[in-house]
Amino acid sequence: MCAKREDGAVPPYGPRPSSPASGSIRRAELDRLLEFAVHDTGVLAGAVFLLAPDGQALWLEVTAGLPAEFLSPWSRVALSSPVPVAEALHRRRLVWLSDPEEFARRYPRTAIALPYHWAAAVAPIVTGTRAWGSLLLLWPGSDTAGGGAADPGPDRVAAACRRLGRFLRDAADTGHAVRPGPAPRTLPRPPARRRLPAEALAAADLVERFPEGSCSLDLEGRFTYVSASAALLLGGSVPDLTGTRPWQSLPWCTDSAFEDRYRGALASRSPASFTAERPPDQWLAFELYPDGSGVSVRISPTGPSPSARAGPARTETFLGEPIPLGEVYQVLHLAAALSEAVGVRDVVDLVTEEILPAFGARTVALLAAEDGRMRVIGRRGYNPEILEYFDGAPLTCPAPPVRVLATGRPSFFATFEELSRAYPPAVRQKDVYAWAFLPLITSGRPVGSCVFAFDHPHPFPEQERVVFTALAGLIAQALERARLYDCSKELAQTLQAALLPDSLPDIPGLDAAARYLPAARGMDIGGDFYDLVRVDETTAAVFIGDVQGHNVTAAALMGRIRPAIRSHAAAGAAPAQALSQVNRQLVDLDQGRFVSCLYAHLDLAHRRAVLATAGHPPPILRHPDGQAEVLPLPPGLLLGIDPDADYPSAEIPLPPGTVLALYTDGLVETPGVDLDDAMSGLAVQLARARHQPMEQLATALIDHARRTAPRTDDIALLLIGLATAG
């Protein structure tokens, strides 16, 4: 209910003239203004966030009506964060969230971190162009959009912000700016009236005469009063319990449900009740009666059956029962996992393999909106014949998984009868009795929908709907990121492939094979390149290299370097000559990037090769007898450093049966492994592979590299085998 004001009347904690006498007085003035805002708007609770000294974040300064602990996810918020208190100040506008489902749709991460049946208004505290912070007001959420039972009204919210803004401005202008404190504070609620000591003792005696136990918890959840009968029922003593929290001082109350019930009652301000077993076999009924100062609790012996519970004839469980902390942690875990999903397949696997069992659903289907139609991109447990109807359906189709995209609101059907009333063409499915259809919308654009189905009628209580709605937002964001990643990766790999040779030439006397693999993660374009060039009937040139960096610039440079080296190779240039000329070209380009390269000139008539390197990993030579070695070539500078650099060459024999392996560092580099040891290991693998076609050998070497360690760089491999005689 909204608190009413009489004209001209100012509540006892209303605004008063500020005084710069001390920091404590200024904070007391800020506290009074917050209390007045809560009272004037009639909301449950409020909080003031102040701009941090660096101007880049908001810090929670003080709360009224709820403990600051409830808002701990917002205790420090960057202005760029997608949360209401930051968005209100960053965009200088009122953020109005009229019901929990809207809260979950617009701010899924925040709704999961604050899983209560709240509506909220967040407004910026500004004066002119100066920003001071944000005001947050909370009241019970409604079941319908458009406001709840205690809608504070935008005008009163704006008036509260103006009062706060003027106070903060005046304090700063007089040299006494109010800065956020080291930790957020919670204001105690002033008593309705002062009680005389005799009256307090009489009240305590009254409570002690009741057969049930009575106790009181403050806003922090600590016992402020415990009757003797309550202490006996709880299994503690009055001195030991007073000042402690039940879930900390009573071993049998450590289950998160106890804290859950307290938080939910305090957040909703509605009575609640539950039963719990105190080991070994004592059942107790708890009745919770909250207000702005804490929660009063009545405790009665009872039995395990709710119908046997002692207490008043009518004790209501509050609307919007809180989400169990264990379930919140589960969702937070899933949210973290979704944030790590890279591609669409990762998101699909996560939804179908982890989220499905987390919510006790029997089946799940994930549909994506593509080119105006729905496409089934993942499922588990669903009858494929049922999904065929939706696969390819236009976005105008009235079916629930499509319709939720048009409305932007999830649909929940506890029974098949509910589903068939909303969608008459629905077909009854074996062992499926309840459905949750969730729209996947991000940045105002439909991404797809997610369908959970249950093997029993499922009522979908309010708190579970909020979790499902928030989860849908997280899935939508993850799916959108994944689709962008997949598109970018496909584009990068297509461009990369276009810059490499389509195939290797068929040269008599040579068996050649090449492999290129992009990095295991990431979507940047690599700079690895290779080529095999036929010079004449008995001569060929082969080279491999790597441009520094992984981006479009590196790929563009690779697109210029490979043709330049290839032109020198086709002209029959010696390795030293080819590398020197390309080096000067690269220095003249002044790209600020270096290139490694290994170049070999093959004389098939005389069965020999001349090699030169420009800072590239040395080749591995497998002799006809199967022994393999890393060739110690004379070193040469990377291309692009010194225009006058020399590239000494070395000559090796190439008898029939020889295999020459050229590769980039991505094939051998592994975190924590010495590079020389890694190259020696590759030589061992080449020796163990025995005699086989180069295509098979290339596959074997790549597979071994994948199995042994994660690869974070691109891999290029070029194998040259000399045909045996006969």
Side-chain angles (χ1 to χ4, degrees), residues 677-690:
D677 293 340
M679 291 186 295
S680 297
L682 179 60
V684 171
Q685 290 302 314
L686 189 62
R688 289 176 178 173
R690 307 275 180 187

Side-chain angles (χ1 to χ4, degrees), residues 520-719:
R521 287 198 177 266
M523 56 187 179
D524 292 332
I525 304 171
D528 292 11
F529 62 91
Y530 60 86
D531 211 340
L532 173 62
V533 180
R534 181 172 182 169
V535 180
D536 55 36
E537 294 297 327
T538 60
T539 309
V542 60
F543 59 87
I544 193 167
D546 188 359
V547 178
Q548 178 190 26
H550 288 81
N551 50 35
V552 174
T553 303
L557 183 57
M558 184 264 278
R560 301 181 69 172
I561 290 296
R562 189 179 73 86
I565 301 176
R566 181 181 175 86
S567 66
H568 292 298
Q577 178 188 8
L579 292 180
S580 295
Q581 292 175 348
V582 173
N583 175 56
R584 284 191 289 271
Q585 289 178 278
L586 185 56
V587 172
D588 292 341
L589 288 175
D590 193 21
Q591 292 285 313
R593 292 177 181 269
F594 310 130
V595 179
S596 70
C597 185
L598 175 64
Y599 185 106
H601 186 273
L602 309 179
D603 184 349
L604 304 180
H606 298 89
R607 299 192 179 281
R608 64 189 179 98
V610 178
L611 301 92
T613 182
H616 197 82
I620 295 175
L621 184 70
R622 190 179 74 184
H623 300 281
D625 62 2
Q627 297 296 314
E629 64 172 321
V630 179
L631 289 179
L633 299 180
L637 275 178
L638 291 166
L639 303 176
I641 297 178
D642 181 2
D644 299 321
D646 291 326
Y647 296 94
S649 57
E651 182 175 323
I652 61 170
L654 292 179
T658 299
V659 175
L660 186 64
L662 287 66
Y663 53 92
T664 55
D665 53 10
L667 183 64
V668 292
E669 279 191 344
T670 304
V673 178
D674 181 79
L675 185 58
D676 290 337
D677 293 340
M679 291 186 295
S680 297
L682 179 60
V684 171
Q685 290 302 314
L686 189 62
R688 289 176 178 173
R690 307 275 180 187
H691 299 287
Q692 54 183 298
M694 294 300 102
E695 287 289 344
Q696 295 181 19
L697 180 57
T699 299
L701 293 177
I702 293 294
D703 288 346
H704 175 77
R706 282 172 161 173
R707 289 193 304 269
T708 53
R711 304 293 166 175
T712 58
D713 199 359
D714 299 343
I715 295 175
L717 172 65
L718 182 56
L719 298 178

Side-chain angles (χ1 to χ4, degrees), residues 182-273:
R185 299 174 291 113
T186 299
L187 298 181
R189 181 178 179 180
R193 63 183 178 87
R194 189 177 300 277
R195 292 178 174 83
L196 298 174
E199 185 182 10
L201 289 173
D205 290 339
L206 171 69
V207 172
E208 293 291 349
R209 295 188 192 102
F210 288 131
E212 303 92 352
S214 299
C215 59
S216 179
L217 305 175
D218 64 13
L219 288 179
E220 304 295 334
R222 295 182 174 87
F223 286 112
T224 56
Y225 174 81
V226 183
S227 69
S229 54
L232 182 63
L233 290 170
L234 293 173
S237 66
V238 173
D240 289 342
L241 293 176
T242 302
T244 70
R245 293 173 172 174
W247 44 90
Q248 295 173 341
S249 56
L250 296 171
W252 60 277
C253 289
T254 55
D255 188 285
S256 62
F258 289 91
E259 182 181 0
D260 228 4
R261 296 287 182 168
Y262 159 78
R263 282 173 167 253
L266 197 59
S268 68
R269 299 291 166 80
S270 298
S273 64

Side-chain angles (χ1 to χ4, degrees), residues 301-373:
T302 188
S305 170
S307 61
R309 184 176 59 203
R314 183 171 182 269
T315 302
E316 296 181 352
T317 298
F318 56 82
L319 180 65
E321 186 175 342
I323 301 160
L325 294 180
E327 188 168 325
V328 171
Y329 296 148
Q330 175 69 32
V331 174
L332 290 175
H333 167 73
L334 296 172
L338 281 169
S339 69
E340 297 172 359
V342 177
V344 171
R345 178 46 50 189
D346 293 340
V347 176
V348 171
D349 291 345
L350 184 66
V351 171
T352 57
E353 294 177 9
E354 294 192 36
I355 295 180
L356 176 68
F359 285 92
R362 176 185 177 86
T363 62
V364 64
L366 195 60
L367 299 90
E370 298 177 357
D371 301 324
R373 294 184 177 274

Side-chain angles (χ1 to χ4, degrees), residues 18-35 48 50 59-62 164 167-168 171 176-185 187:
S18 62
S19 170
S22 68
S24 61
I25 292 179
R26 291 192 300 274
R27 293 194 187 282
E29 181 65 22
L30 179 69
D31 297 348
R32 282 192 292 269
L33 288 172
L34 174 59
E35 288 180 316
V48 170
L50 295 179
W59 292 7
L60 175 60
E61 170 62 18
V62 59
L164 285 163
F167 162 69
L168 293 169
H176 301 281
V178 180
R179 305 291 185 187
R185 299 174 291 113
L187 298 181

Side-chain angles (χ1 to χ4, degrees), residues 380-438:
R380 181 178 177 187
Y382 242 109
N383 185 338
E385 296 180 0
I386 297 293
L387 295 179
E388 284 178 4
Y389 174 79
F390 303 118
D391 197 18
L395 296 184
T396 55
C397 174
V402 184
R403 187 170 55 192
V404 292
L405 285 184
T407 64
R409 289 181 171 276
S411 295
F412 300 94
F413 301 101
T415 63
F416 176 75
E417 287 69 28
E418 289 186 12
L419 176 63
S420 61
R421 283 196 297 270
Y423 182 62
V427 177
R428 187 181 292 274
Q429 304 169 47
K430 183 180 179 181
D431 297 329
V432 180
Y433 297 93
W435 294 261
F437 296 94
L438 310 175

